[in-house]
Amino acid sequence: HLSVNTFVNGKWLQNCYVVTNSFRQALIVDPGSDAEGILKLISELGVQPVAIMNTHAHFDHVGAVSALMDKFGIPFFLHGHDEKLLKQANLYKLLFGEKKNISIPPFWEDFAKRPDLLNVADFTVKVIHTPGHTAGGVCLVIGNALFSGDTLMPGGAGRTDLPGGDKAKLMESLQKLQELPQNYMVYAGHGKPFMLQEFWKNNYDQ
């Protein structure tokens, strides 16, 4: 039995998800900027984190990664094509008017070097490389939940005018996601959850 718990971070209202199973294990997806708040949620849930998984490396999604790695001694998964973005996260923060630096995680597990079907503790995660919003963007399927980062958003596909963006690649990624079961619940990087079939209907039905 999987449960998805949402924690909204900071001024960009970024969604961190703490996904728990019946063994009281937790996967942390996209820890944003508020490590203290995320730790409080984990404590309230009474679960043991087993890994951090990021859909991409924009600064508003990775700010709490280092603190959570230090606290729990768990691996951090990211697609290697976002290595540059991760290393330059503080530079991009400045461009968005944010002065306080984040701690850049020193190492991670590269999704690109692991199987598409990834077993971590008692979780099975399907990893789908979906470049476009960033070069290393991924979507994660856990049970019937699709964690789309900023690839799919409630109002349409993610932006391609930010560092790492590529409109043509995003279109290819959308085609890939159209092949998934339409009854998936989508948990995006920002905004409320929505059904995958609603996404296509609301944004792409002509």
Side-chain angles (χ1 to χ4, degrees):
H1 175 71
L2 295 171
S3 174
V4 178
N5 306 272
T6 308
F7 182 84
V8 181
N9 287 265
K11 77 173 192 178
W12 303 106
L13 302 178
Q14 182 273 338
N15 292 327
C16 164
Y17 297 106
V18 179
V19 186
T20 65
N21 63 19
S22 51
F23 301 101
R24 308 206 73 71
Q25 299 166 344
L27 282 178
I28 306 169
V29 178
D30 283 355
S33 53
D34 183 357
E36 200 173 300
I38 297 166
L39 286 169
K40 185 168 181 281
L41 172 61
I42 289 166
S43 174
E44 287 168 357
L45 292 170
V47 291
Q48 182 61 43
V50 293
I52 299 162
M53 295 190 171
N54 264 71
T55 60
H56 65 294
H58 279 153
F59 72 86
D60 56 325
H61 290 251
V62 299
V65 171
S66 284
L68 294 170
M69 285 177 78
D70 290 347
K71 172 74 176 172
F72 298 110
I74 53 177
F76 164 48
F77 290 83
L78 179 75
H79 195 287
H81 288 177
D82 268 9
E83 177 183 1
K84 184 180 173 188
L85 266 186
L86 181 70
K87 290 183 173 173
Q88 296 183 340
N90 286 312
L91 173 64
Y92 296 133
K93 276 195 84 167
L94 281 176
L95 297 178
F96 281 85
E98 296 208 17
K99 295 181 176 64
K100 189 180 174 189
N101 275 0
I102 62 175
S103 173
I104 305 296
F107 61 88
W108 64 90
E109 295 280 345
D110 186 352
F111 279 130
K113 295 177 180 173
R114 303 296 293 267
D116 292 342
L117 212 56
L118 198 55
N119 291 307
V120 178
D122 289 283
F123 290 97
T124 299
V125 183
K126 182 178 183 180
V127 182
I128 307 167
H129 184 210
T130 50
H133 180 67
T134 69
V138 299
C139 289
L140 306 171
V141 178
I142 308 171
N144 285 327
L146 172 67
F147 297 91
S148 65
D150 293 356
T151 298
L152 304 183
M153 309 275 265
R159 293 170 64 171
T160 55
D161 61 336
L162 297 171
D166 184 318
K167 193 167 186 178
K169 284 194 171 142
L170 184 64
M171 291 300 113
E172 289 173 12
S173 293
L174 291 179
Q175 288 180 332
K176 205 185 285 185
L177 295 173
Q178 279 182 314
E179 297 167 12
L180 295 176
Q182 294 302 293
N183 63 342
Y184 279 172
M185 182 63 78
V186 182
Y187 296 89
H190 306 264
K192 301 286 187 193
F194 51 90
M195 295 288 286
L196 187 55
Q197 61 195 19
E198 285 174 17
F199 176 83
W200 307 119
K201 185 179 173 187
N202 293 343
N203 299 297
Y204 293 96
D205 268 9
Q206 300 300 325

